[in-house]
């Protein structure tokens, strides 16, 4: 397998990829839980206003950070990006950097909101806009990810299972 794609990344796509990253999504879930805790505690004598305010304020802060991220990374949008996926490596070349990393450094891949995301064992994530690939390449990539990076079992689902 050898899939290669060259594309210009737009600021809108970059912001969309950041919003859909696992870190941001996890933080938004925590914020929602904090708001719920704050709302549940309102009828009590000591309402939990700090979790409620943080739960409402942190998403606003994250959106400001996401909107400012393309300004700090303007050089990324000047030149086209090139992505190459082979059986051995994932290569990403931008205007400011080039990385070629073997698949043994990755632990998972998933599809969400028009992007393919791949996450390394260290936690770093990369993304590929699906629009950069034709239908045959997308099908080949999905099959490769399913074969090479199978989904992990959720530990809490079967806590006594050692498999």
């Amino acid at each position: 397998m050898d899939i290669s794609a060259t594309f210009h990344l737009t600021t809108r796509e970059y912001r969309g990829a950041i919003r859909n990253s696992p870190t941001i999504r996890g933080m938004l879930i925590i914020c929602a839980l904090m708001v719920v805790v704050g709302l549940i505690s309102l009828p009590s004598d000591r309402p939990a206003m700090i979790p409620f305010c943080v739960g409402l304020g942190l998403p606003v802060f994250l959106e400001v950070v996401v909107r400012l991220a393309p300004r700090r990374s303007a050089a990324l949008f000047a030149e086209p990006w090139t992505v190459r996926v082979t059986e051995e490596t994932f290569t990403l070349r931008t205007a400011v950097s080039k990385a070629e990393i073997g698949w043994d450094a990755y632990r998972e891949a998933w599809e969400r909101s028009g992007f393919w995301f791949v996450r390394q064992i260290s936690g770093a994530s990369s993304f590929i806009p699906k629009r950069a690939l034709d239908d045959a390449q997308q099908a080949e990539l999905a099959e490769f990810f399913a074969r090479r990076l199978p989904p992990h079992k959720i530990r809490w689902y079967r806590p006594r299972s050692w498999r």
Side-chain angles (χ1 to χ4, degrees), residues 18-30 110 112:
I18 293 172
R19 281 187 191 108
N20 284 292
S21 71
T23 304
I24 298 294
R25 286 186 14 240
M27 291 175 91
L28 291 176
I29 290 170
I30 291 170
W110 68 95
R112 180 175 171 85

Side-chain angles (χ1 to χ4, degrees), residues 9-121:
L9 188 69
T10 65
T11 56
R12 185 178 190 162
E13 285 177 324
Y14 187 67
R15 285 192 306 260
I18 293 172
R19 281 187 191 108
N20 284 292
S21 71
T23 304
I24 298 294
R25 286 186 14 240
M27 291 175 91
L28 291 176
I29 290 170
I30 291 170
C31 289
L33 292 173
M34 292 171 75
V35 168
V36 168
V37 166
L39 288 174
I40 290 172
S41 71
L42 280 178
S44 68
D45 291 339
R46 298 184 59 181
M49 292 306 292
I50 291 176
F52 182 74
C53 293
V54 170
L56 290 177
L58 190 57
V60 173
F61 173 75
L62 290 174
E63 183 60 26
V64 169
V65 169
V66 165
R67 289 194 174 268
L68 292 177
R71 291 182 188 167
R72 291 188 310 251
S73 305
L76 291 174
F77 310 109
E79 302 280 330
W81 289 31
T82 302
V83 173
R84 184 173 180 212
V85 177
T86 65
E87 289 285 338
E88 297 81 31
T89 61
F90 174 74
T91 305
L92 176 64
R93 184 178 302 134
T94 69
V96 295
S97 66
K98 178 187 175 194
E100 184 173 330
I101 302 171
W103 286 110
D104 54 344
Y106 289 93
R107 68 176 175 180
E108 64 183 327
W110 68 95
E111 180 183 0
R112 180 175 171 85
S113 299
F115 297 96
W116 283 100
F117 289 91
V118 290
R119 185 176 4 207
Q120 294 180 6
I121 294 169

Side-chain angles (χ1 to χ4, degrees), residues 146-157:
R147 179 174 34 91
R148 182 69 188 210
L149 301 170
H152 290 352
K153 294 180 181 176
I154 301 172
R155 296 185 74 119
W156 53 267
Y157 183 67

